[in-house]
Amino acid sequence: MDFYKDYTNTIKAALSQSNLQKGLSGTRMFSEGTQHMSSSHIKLSHSSMLEPEAGLLELGKTMGLGKTSAATFGEHPDFKHLKGTDNTEQHYITSVFIDIKGSTNLHRKYDLPTIYTITNTIQRAAIHTCALFHGHIQRLQGDGLFVYFGGKSIGKDESVQQAVNAASFFTYFVKNDLKQLFEEEGVEDISTRIGIDFGDHEQVMWANFGLGDCCELTTNSLHTSLASKMQAYASANGVVIGDHVKQRLKLSDEKLFDYVRDSKGEVSKRYIFEDQDKAFRYTQYTFDWYKYLKSMNFLVEEGNGKLRILSPEERADQQRIKGLMQKAALLSSGSAFTDRYGNISANSTGIQNQPHRFHYDE
């Protein structure tokens, strides 16, 4: 997919300049080159505004996400009235923790300006992906992010759906686009791990934590805490979700979910939280984000295992074939009716189609 082309191009440019710098000879030339590269890297890493790059905006348009707001940081706008007070409010939220692993390995090969461009660009891609799906960036944590999905104008199920969409597309970017780029450079894998959980109104309290200028408006919730723990149980480029997320996704394919397993395939941590006194056990699941993306009707898997967005013509053909298959199934069921305009449907006001009888002469 080309949704992240702007981000990979930025990293490619930084790597190319770094390789050029290594090839420079002479002390003066090296010094001047280093100064030039550092300045160029900073330009690259700040080349975009707060809104997503063109490729991601195209994804949003394809998925009908509507107007995408520029990424914001800090207190959630729906609860900022609590800032600076002792007041609290109960309101649902979907919490997402995104961690980037392996960036330490970059220090073995690149200088600080190059590493800055790489890590900052990856983090921008994560921020923009979450903003595209209407997520709110609560906090930056090292190379990673803590993001809320939901609010007073967004439905509960929709918030879960958008969180899972953001996690799936960003993980695809890291696992495929970045992996190919870094393999060409001989860099060890950089991966992501993501944890997602949902807490309902009675399970989430919004409040100020800290004091004075050293405070944060955030949530007091078991399920925010569990999302962070689930991230730690995710494998490289894996997504782990809580049972509340699974239930609200309402996906019919149970193969999208599995218990968290170890390297031997054994279930290692089915319950992320247990309260023996209340006889409460909360299950976490690994989520097959790649299979989930493949199920989207505007994406198709190519022979190399990568996903490609269908052209408008291909999508029209796909819909036409789907329509023909539905009509064929209806005709086979014996419940098809034809109206006076020749349209076939299950509407019994038309004339019922009769099964064909074929006679063969011997």
Side-chain angles (χ1 to χ4, degrees):
M1 294 185 288
D2 290 332
F3 303 134
Y4 291 92
K5 181 173 61 176
D6 298 295
Y7 305 92
T8 54
N9 285 345
T10 296
I11 295 175
K12 280 180 182 179
L15 295 176
S16 296
Q17 289 185 342
S18 178
N19 291 333
L20 177 62
Q21 176 182 323
K22 292 174 184 177
L24 294 175
S25 59
T27 305
R28 181 179 177 184
M29 183 183 247
F30 182 85
S31 176
E32 291 174 352
T34 302
Q35 184 177 359
H36 172 70
M37 303 309 164
S38 300
S39 174
S40 182
H41 282 153
I42 294 173
K43 284 182 181 179
L44 284 167
S45 59
H46 289 285
S47 61
S48 73
M49 303 301 289
L50 291 176
E51 70 174 15
E53 301 280 12
L56 280 180
L57 290 175
E58 183 61 29
L59 171 62
K61 181 179 178 181
T62 300
M63 297 186 70
L65 295 177
K67 180 175 173 52
T68 300
S69 300
T72 57
F73 175 84
E75 60 260 19
H76 194 297
D78 288 350
F79 307 98
K80 62 183 180 181
H81 60 278
L82 300 173
K83 187 74 171 177
T85 74
D86 292 328
N87 298 331
T88 63
E89 187 171 340
Q90 309 261 155
H91 194 280
Y92 92 86
I93 205 68
T94 301
S95 302
V96 178
F97 284 83
I98 301 174
D99 186 32
I100 307 298
K101 304 293 291 184
S103 58
T104 306
N105 295 324
L106 296 172
H107 288 272
R108 296 190 176 99
K109 194 173 178 92
Y110 302 108
D111 60 14
L112 292 179
T114 304
I115 295 169
Y116 167 69
T117 299
I118 293 170
T119 56
N120 193 45
T121 302
I122 294 172
Q123 195 168 60
R124 282 197 301 114
I127 290 170
H128 287 162
T129 302
C130 292
L132 181 76
F133 289 100
H134 309 298
H136 174 77
I137 313 303
Q138 175 68 18
R139 188 189 312 146
L140 302 182
Q141 300 188 162
D143 295 335
L145 283 74
F146 169 24
V147 189
Y148 286 130
F149 287 82
K152 295 184 177 179
S153 61
I154 301 175
K156 299 174 185 179
D157 291 353
E158 182 183 356
S159 79
V160 168
Q161 182 88 60
Q162 302 293 46
V164 169
N165 285 344
S168 298
F169 278 103
F170 179 70
T171 305
Y172 180 92
F173 162 64
V174 175
K175 181 176 173 59
N176 291 277
D177 299 352
L178 283 187
K179 180 180 180 181
Q180 180 180 345
L181 184 60
F182 286 125
E183 279 182 348
E184 293 171 357
E185 288 289 319
V187 178
E188 294 181 30
D189 280 352
I190 289 180
S191 60
T192 183
R193 299 185 304 176
I194 299 178
I196 310 173
D197 204 15
F198 172 88
D200 215 330
H201 295 306
E202 67 276 10
Q203 299 162 330
V204 179
M205 174 187 287
W206 290 84
N208 281 296
F209 291 82
L211 63 138
D213 292 333
C214 187
C215 70
E216 181 182 26
L217 173 62
T218 186
T219 52
N220 175 25
S221 172
L222 168 65
H223 296 283
T224 296
S225 299
L226 291 183
S228 178
K229 290 185 66 176
M230 289 172 195
Q231 168 207 282
Y233 281 103
S235 59
N237 296 315
V239 177
V240 173
I241 64 173
D243 187 60
H244 289 178
V245 174
K246 179 178 183 290
Q247 298 306 320
R248 288 195 171 276
L249 280 174
K250 298 180 176 66
L251 296 173
S252 59
D253 189 353
E254 283 292 322
K255 292 181 180 179
L256 289 168
F257 311 96
D258 192 14
Y259 298 128
V260 173
R261 299 179 183 273
D262 59 24
S263 58
K264 297 179 181 179
E266 301 293 331
V267 176
S268 59
K269 189 69 175 177
R270 175 174 178 176
Y271 302 112
I272 187 70
F273 181 80
E274 299 181 68
D275 187 333
Q276 301 295 343
D277 294 337
K278 298 179 180 178
F280 175 70
R281 290 179 171 179
Y282 192 70
T283 304
Q284 62 177 349
Y285 300 90
T286 58
F287 179 69
D288 192 337
W289 56 267
Y290 185 74
K291 186 173 183 180
Y292 172 71
L293 288 179
K294 285 198 299 180
S295 71
M296 295 184 175
N297 60 12
F298 64 92
L299 294 175
V300 63
E301 184 180 27
E302 296 188 307
N304 58 5
K306 291 192 174 184
L307 299 178
R308 175 177 63 81
I309 188 168
L310 292 169
S311 67
E313 294 75 19
E314 289 174 314
R315 271 179 273 171
D317 284 343
Q318 190 181 68
Q319 288 298 111
R320 181 180 60 81
I321 293 171
K322 182 179 179 181
L324 289 173
M325 292 176 66
Q326 289 174 339
K327 285 184 179 179
L330 185 61
L331 288 168
S332 299
S333 71
S335 302
F337 296 82
T338 302
D339 64 19
R340 59 177 178 169
Y341 301 107
N343 299 314
I344 300 172
S345 70
N347 190 339
S348 59
T349 58
I351 299 173
Q352 185 171 16
N353 290 62
Q354 299 299 315
H356 291 288
R357 293 181 176 84
F358 297 97
H359 300 278
Y360 299 93
D361 293 329
E362 296 184 358

